[in-house]
Amino acid sequence: MSELLVVGSTAYDTIITPAERREYIIGGSAAFGAYAASFFTKTRLCGAVGSDWGPERTQIFTDRGIGVDDLKIHADEKTFFWEGEYFLETNTRRTLQTQLNVLTKFSPDLCDASRASSFVFLANISPVLQMQALRQCENVKLAVADTMNFYITNERDALLELMTMVDGLVLNDEEAEMLTEKKDLFSAGDQLLSMGPKFVIIKKGSHGCVFFAKDEIFSLPAFPTRDVIEPTGAGDCFAGAMMGYLASRDATDYAAIKKAVAYGTVTASFVVEDFSFDALRRIERAEIDARFEAYRSMLEI
Amino acid sequence: MSELLVVGSTAYDTIITPAERREYIIGGSAAFGAYAASFFTKTRLCGAVGSDWGPERTQIFTDRGIGVDDLKIHADEKTFFWEGEYFLETNTRRTLQTQLNVLTKFSPDLCDASRASSFVFLANISPVLQMQALRQCENVKLAVADTMNFYITNERDALLELMTMVDGLVLNDEEAEMLTEKKDLFSAGDQLLSMGPKFVIIKKGSHGCVFFAKDEIFSLPAFPTRDVIEPTGAGDCFAGAMMGYLASRDATDYAAIKKAVAYGTVTASFVVEDFSFDALRRIERAEIDARFEAYRSMLEI
């Protein structure tokens, strides 16, 4: 079993769905990713929060054994804040407010244990910060990055450089199209591979995902989940669980990655069943494994 | 092994893609469905064509052992004609021209062998004609119908009646939404089940399909196909191959249906690789089986 480092944002989110409004709930790519990964392996969380982040928030992570030495508290700042509204029927969302706050000060400076991590998940945040963290890791066996439309548009050069440094890239179909200007998923996948990473995973939300590597391709469906309450963090949990599983197996081969993608898929299927990662907080690893077996059985033909 | 009856349209299509224009190529829901089914079992084709349908067209079907006793030639009519343009990048199509021609005269009057079919695929055509054919079959073990937006809008009452007479309904996601007014796939699936059929398969094009029954649900991805030339008939071939496989096994149980859906998926993945069913005309059953094994292996986690 290897340890996993998760670098990214930790945030407060205010989320509006057709049914409900929730204020100042925990969000952020690294928060979701590390929480999901912690079901699989020893995980460290690297991020930055403000003075409004109470110790009871941190405890949610330490209760799951997540290392928080690199979760820096900036007393003179507020935590990164995002407010968004979901329109579930059209599968779209709208950003109402973004306050970068402490993220403008965030400069990853890893502790020795984090620097020794052999599995690194660079969750969605500025590619400049993703590179800064990755360069401090001296023992990397597998590094995977996520990104989003904002960085594709505004920090494209840094993102292109990051892509030459990582083994895998995870992004959704819209982002893949934005980054490659290819509408066809296969052309986008091929082009992304040519830009550096050894594999690319294109997420398609409720339609599952497609994995691309030089001589391999696979497509897996989402786990059929009827009770979608709120989808924030599903992609982060998908990638976090995937990396957590790979670290737990200390594996980077194709078969392990496929199984890891399946674990990511079923873990993400819990997250959407409640706000924040409340649904994950109610379950144990056994419930993920049970859903994994249901998923595996569903795919047996 | 049981025999399969396929009822529906036989047509000439003129198809425009970004790369090419093809005129008067063979199309029609029953033509595609029966051709795909013929890889699996003895198949009969029930349809109507005009005087412009040369015997060499019919021979394409008889060469595959398809029974054409119920393919009626109306000497004073022309074959049903459809002209459409595909915009592959946006995954949309536009109808340029529809000439019903012989379809206005079509009145299925099945031969004795067809009436004895225990597996019946009612491919996309007026639900009035689908019911007319089905009522002549006296030995039905499994009847599955496909439909489309035109009939949902214009022959809704007949379609609702048909749904109480069939075991299964196959339609795409837009049609499911149109018929149920539910944007959410699961709600649409539940509602369709409440309208009569024992199972419903909602096709999502390149995103695969979802199967709904009272206590069962499964989702399967499309076979990853890079070389999409032209998608006409993919859905018809999907359902035709599925029904052909079930008839070949004389089975209607859940496990067999799942395997049949997988066979439908891989058979459809050939069809999109060329115009009409030209790609299917180049292959043997062994190539479908080889792709089925690749698909099965892709889904092994």
Side-chain angles (χ1 to χ4, degrees), chain B:
Chain B
M1 178 174 294
S2 290
E3 297 188 0
L4 173 69
L5 170 65
V6 179
V7 182
S9 65
T10 38
Y12 282 129
D13 291 342
T14 288
I15 305 282
I16 302 156
T17 71
E20 203 173 337
R21 176 191 176 91
R22 291 282 187 97
E23 298 196 333
Y24 285 85
I25 56 180
I26 296 181
S29 62
F32 280 110
Y35 200 92
S38 71
F39 287 93
F40 300 92
T41 199
K42 168 71 185 173
T43 302
R44 294 174 193 282
L45 168 60
C46 171
V49 294
S51 57
D52 54 351
W53 183 273
E56 77 283 3
R57 305 291 190 172
T58 299
Q59 197 182 335
I60 292 171
F61 296 90
T62 53
D63 279 352
R64 283 216 55 84
I66 295 169
V68 294
D69 291 341
D70 294 318
L71 181 63
K72 297 286 158 53
I73 299 168
H74 293 246
D76 54 345
E77 286 286 351
K78 289 171 72 180
T79 301
F80 169 53
F81 175 75
W82 180 77
E83 181 173 351
E85 179 169 9
Y86 283 90
F87 307 95
L88 296 181
E89 292 217 325
T90 50
N91 209 13
T92 56
R93 75 178 185 187
R94 178 167 62 125
T95 292
L96 297 171
Q97 213 186 137
T98 303
Q99 297 173 8
L100 288 177
N101 298 333
V102 71
L103 277 199
T104 61
K105 302 276 179 66
F106 184 32
S107 177
D109 178 19
L110 301 175
C111 68
D112 287 347
S114 290
R115 285 171 192 253
S117 302
S118 50
F119 287 75
V120 179
F121 172 40
L122 304 167
N124 188 20
I125 200 167
S126 160
V128 173
L129 299 180
Q130 290 174 311
M131 285 191 284
Q132 187 181 333
L134 184 58
R135 288 196 175 106
Q136 296 169 45
C137 299
E138 296 144 1
N139 190 31
V140 179
K141 196 162 168 176
L142 187 76
V144 170
D146 195 352
T147 193
M148 73 181 293
N149 47 12
F150 180 82
Y151 303 114
I152 293 170
T153 305
N154 297 300
E155 301 189 22
R156 191 180 176 89
D157 288 346
L159 179 58
L160 295 180
E161 189 180 352
L162 172 72
M163 285 174 70
T164 67
M165 298 167 60
V166 295
D167 300 289
L169 179 72
V170 177
L171 73 183
N172 73 29
D173 42 6
E174 282 178 19
E175 293 155 357
E177 181 184 331
M178 190 183 287
L179 186 49
T180 62
E181 294 177 353
K182 304 279 185 194
K183 281 183 185 290
D184 170 68
L185 205 70
F186 297 96
S187 306
D190 289 345
Q191 183 161 330
L192 291 168
L193 283 181
S194 77
M195 293 159 82
K198 294 190 198 73
F199 66 85
V200 172
I201 299 172
I202 300 182
K203 299 172 289 181
K204 305 190 295 175
S206 64
H207 299 308
C209 68
V210 183
F211 168 96
F212 297 89
K214 187 164 180 291
D215 296 312
E216 301 283 1
I217 186 169
F218 67 77
S219 178
L220 287 175
F223 185 84
T225 309
R226 288 176 175 272
D227 307 310
V228 176
I229 300 294
E230 197 272 292
T232 305
D236 305 313
C237 287
F238 166 84
M242 175 187 89
M243 289 299 286
Y245 174 77
L246 287 171
S248 78
R249 291 276 308 276
D250 198 28
T252 63
D253 62 287
Y254 176 71
I257 292 176
K258 189 158 71 169
K259 201 163 175 183
V261 166
Y263 267 113
T265 296
V266 299
T267 305
S269 77
F270 286 102
V271 180
V272 301
E273 293 176 354
D274 205 343
F275 285 84
S276 187
F277 40 76
D278 288 359
L280 284 186
R281 293 179 68 183
R282 286 193 294 269
I283 63 168
E284 299 291 334
R285 168 69 186 268
E287 278 152 288
I288 293 176
D289 286 340
R291 196 172 280 191
F292 179 86
E293 285 308 319
Y295 184 64
R296 188 216 291 268
S297 163
M298 179 185 95
L299 296 177
E300 256 171 21
I301 54 176

Side-chain angles (χ1 to χ4, degrees), chain A:
Chain A
M1 177 173 294
S2 289
E3 297 188 359
L4 172 69
L5 170 65
V6 179
V7 182
S9 65
T10 37
Y12 282 129
D13 291 342
T14 289
I15 306 281
I16 301 156
T17 71
E20 205 174 337
R21 176 191 176 92
R22 291 282 187 98
E23 299 197 332
Y24 285 85
I25 56 180
I26 295 181
S29 62
F32 279 110
Y35 200 92
S38 71
F39 287 92
F40 299 91
T41 198
K42 168 72 186 173
T43 302
R44 294 174 193 281
L45 168 61
C46 172
V49 293
S51 57
D52 53 352
W53 183 273
E56 76 284 2
R57 305 289 191 172
T58 299
Q59 198 182 335
I60 292 170
F61 296 91
T62 53
D63 279 351
R64 283 215 55 84
I66 295 169
V68 293
D69 290 342
D70 293 318
L71 180 63
K72 296 286 159 52
I73 298 167
H74 292 247
D76 54 346
E77 286 288 350
K78 288 170 73 177
T79 300
F80 170 52
F81 175 77
W82 181 75
E83 181 173 351
E85 179 168 10
Y86 283 90
F87 307 95
L88 295 183
E89 292 218 325
T90 50
N91 209 12
T92 56
R93 75 178 187 188
R94 178 169 62 127
T95 291
L96 297 171
Q97 214 186 138
T98 303
Q99 297 173 8
L100 288 177
N101 297 333
V102 71
L103 278 199
T104 61
K105 303 277 179 62
F106 184 33
S107 176
D109 179 18
L110 301 174
C111 68
D112 287 346
S114 290
R115 286 170 191 255
S117 302
S118 50
F119 287 76
V120 179
F121 172 39
L122 303 166
N124 189 20
I125 199 166
S126 159
V128 173
L129 300 180
Q130 290 174 311
M131 286 191 283
Q132 186 182 334
L134 184 58
R135 288 196 174 104
Q136 295 169 45
C137 300
E138 296 145 0
N139 190 30
V140 178
K141 197 163 169 176
L142 187 75
V144 170
D146 194 350
T147 193
M148 73 182 293
N149 47 12
F150 180 84
Y151 303 114
I152 293 170
T153 305
N154 297 300
E155 301 190 23
R156 190 179 178 89
D157 288 347
L159 179 58
L160 294 179
E161 188 179 353
L162 171 72
M163 286 175 70
T164 67
M165 297 167 62
V166 294
D167 301 287
L169 180 71
V170 177
L171 75 180
N172 72 31
D173 41 6
E174 282 178 20
E175 293 155 357
E177 181 186 332
M178 189 183 288
L179 186 49
T180 62
E181 294 177 352
K182 303 278 186 195
K183 280 184 186 290
D184 170 68
L185 205 70
F186 297 96
S187 306
D190 289 345
Q191 185 162 328
L192 291 168
L193 283 180
S194 77
M195 293 159 82
K198 293 188 199 76
F199 67 86
V200 172
I201 298 171
I202 301 182
K203 299 171 288 180
K204 306 190 294 174
S206 63
H207 299 308
C209 68
V210 183
F211 170 95
F212 296 88
K214 187 164 180 294
D215 298 312
E216 300 283 2
I217 186 169
F218 67 77
S219 178
L220 287 176
F223 185 83
T225 309
R226 288 177 177 271
D227 307 311
V228 175
I229 300 293
E230 198 272 290
T232 306
D236 306 313
C237 287
F238 166 85
M242 175 187 88
M243 290 298 286
Y245 174 78
L246 287 170
S248 77
R249 291 276 309 275
D250 198 29
T252 63
D253 62 287
Y254 176 70
I257 291 176
K258 190 159 70 170
K259 200 163 177 181
V261 167
Y263 267 113
T265 296
V266 298
T267 306
S269 77
F270 285 102
V271 179
V272 301
E273 293 176 352
D274 205 342
F275 285 84
S276 188
F277 38 78
D278 288 0
L280 283 186
R281 292 178 70 184
R282 287 193 293 268
I283 62 169
E284 300 290 334
R285 168 67 186 268
E287 279 152 288
I288 294 176
D289 286 340
R291 195 171 281 193
F292 179 87
E293 284 309 319
Y295 184 64
R296 187 216 292 266
S297 165
M298 179 185 95
L299 296 177
E300 256 170 21
I301 53 176

